[in-house]
Amino acid sequence: MKVITAAEIRQSLDWASTIQVLEQAFIQDSKMPTRHHHVMADGPEPPVHLLMPAWIPNKYLGVKAVNVFPANAKAGKPAVSGVYLLFSGETGETLAILEGGELTVRRTAAASALAARYLARKDASRLLIVGTGRLSRHLAFAHAAVRPIKSVSVWGRNPQKAEEVAQELRQGGLEASAVTDLETAVGNADIVSCATLSTLPLVQGAWLRPGTHLDLVGGFTPAMREADDEAIRRSEIFVDTRAGATKEAGDIVVPLQTSVLSADGIRGDLFDLTRKTHPGRTQDSQITLFKSVGVAIEDLAAASLVYEKAHCPVAA
């Protein structure tokens, strides 16, 4: 069994190959049961334990165990941590254990970039990142891998943290700056990418101008919202998977419950986009919205890519 560190994952999962392997995972015949979602306490920001299994018949199977502790942010610790176990799909033998945090943020950002390749305007050059957590940096670089991003704005509740993220992006070669006026920043952006744990909508639909692509990543429970109902009304809605988003994502679940959004108002998911059963964006003037909650086959695809890059033969 190989133990694969965060540093090894970071080196293996460059954006181009990660986006490509995720696309192939949605095209091919992968299997994934609904993930286990366990809230471990009461309160406004309870800790959550997630189990996400998936397999490719006769090739690989794996499961990710993730802990989400929102209160960690106050102590300067990551809110999300976990591990990934990769097994042989032929024998069931354990092949590798991978650090889960780096795997998660990189596959999550790559999934947003994959969606943006179908949904963002081809000339989208102005990116707004809403949120200052670990994922924010990855989202900026991932979007820049699929669209000609010339400038990145970063907004967060804590302006100092927003500046720290912007500085890291500048060090990585992106033109980036922190902003404090969210309304103006949303109105100026071609792509708005949100990665927060907010329970109240941050992005107002009235702020979105025609042609914007809205990428909602952070919320993963029905109680979380990053965009308001007007954003839903004005947008062409896409999700990572219908099964996950319609049960776990507040930005989809609540509008469905209140009839702001109908089931057929969800135009497609990543299966539809990658298999070309839906074309994605069809007009430059459309506002598109992509909501992700995380999909087990993304973890499996990314973990198997890391494993194969380590030149480890699959157990026979």
Side-chain angles (χ1 to χ4, degrees), residues 120-188:
R121 295 194 334 269
K122 294 187 183 302
D123 65 348
S125 62
R126 293 171 293 186
L127 172 65
L128 169 63
I129 300 295
V130 179
T132 57
R134 181 179 182 182
L135 186 54
S136 60
R137 291 86 162 159
H138 294 80
L139 284 166
F141 290 116
H143 280 297
V146 297
R147 286 296 182 264
I149 301 301
K150 295 180 180 178
S151 66
V152 182
S153 299
V154 181
W155 181 90
R157 290 189 176 92
N158 185 325
Q160 181 179 347
K161 289 184 178 180
E163 177 53 40
E164 291 172 359
V165 174
Q167 183 176 358
E168 289 185 36
L169 298 182
R170 291 194 294 270
Q171 291 172 347
L174 294 175
E175 181 179 318
S177 60
V179 296
T180 57
D181 185 340
L182 182 58
E183 178 178 353
T184 299
V186 170
N188 289 334

Side-chain angles (χ1 to χ4, degrees), residues 201 203-206 208 214 216 224-239 249-263 265-267 287-291:
V203 175
Q204 308 297 307
L208 298 167
L214 179 56
L216 303 180
M224 295 178 176
R225 293 288 302 266
E226 293 187 298
D228 69 355
D229 286 347
E230 185 64 14
I232 299 296
R233 293 189 186 98
R234 297 188 65 198
S235 300
E236 297 290 312
I237 308 295
F238 296 84
V239 296
D251 285 297
I252 300 298
V253 171
V254 175
L256 284 172
Q257 291 174 342
T258 58
S259 298
V260 169
L261 175 67
S262 62
I266 300 174
R267 303 303 186 194
I287 297 173
T288 53
L289 184 154
F290 175 67
K291 175 57 199 161

Side-chain angles (χ1 to χ4, degrees), residues 23-38:
E23 184 170 42
Q24 290 303 310
F26 282 97
I27 293 172
Q28 67 185 354
D29 185 26
S30 305
K31 308 295 183 183
M32 55 173 181
T34 302
R35 70 180 175 185
H36 299 253
H37 189 129
H38 303 285

Side-chain angles (χ1 to χ4, degrees), residues 99-130:
E99 193 277 330
E102 189 69 20
L103 184 76
T104 298
V105 292
R106 295 190 82 84
R107 67 80 155 148
T108 301
S112 283
L114 175 60
R117 201 162 67 186
Y118 293 96
L119 300 176
R121 295 194 334 269
K122 294 187 183 302
D123 65 348
S125 62
R126 293 171 293 186
L127 172 65
L128 169 63
I129 300 295
V130 179

Side-chain angles (χ1 to χ4, degrees), residues 276-299:
K276 305 298 194 292
T277 57
H278 193 290
R281 176 181 289 272
T282 57
Q283 299 176 21
D284 281 349
S285 61
Q286 288 176 325
I287 297 173
T288 53
L289 184 154
F290 175 67
K291 175 57 199 161
S292 67
V293 291
V295 186
I297 59 171
E298 296 170 354
D299 296 298

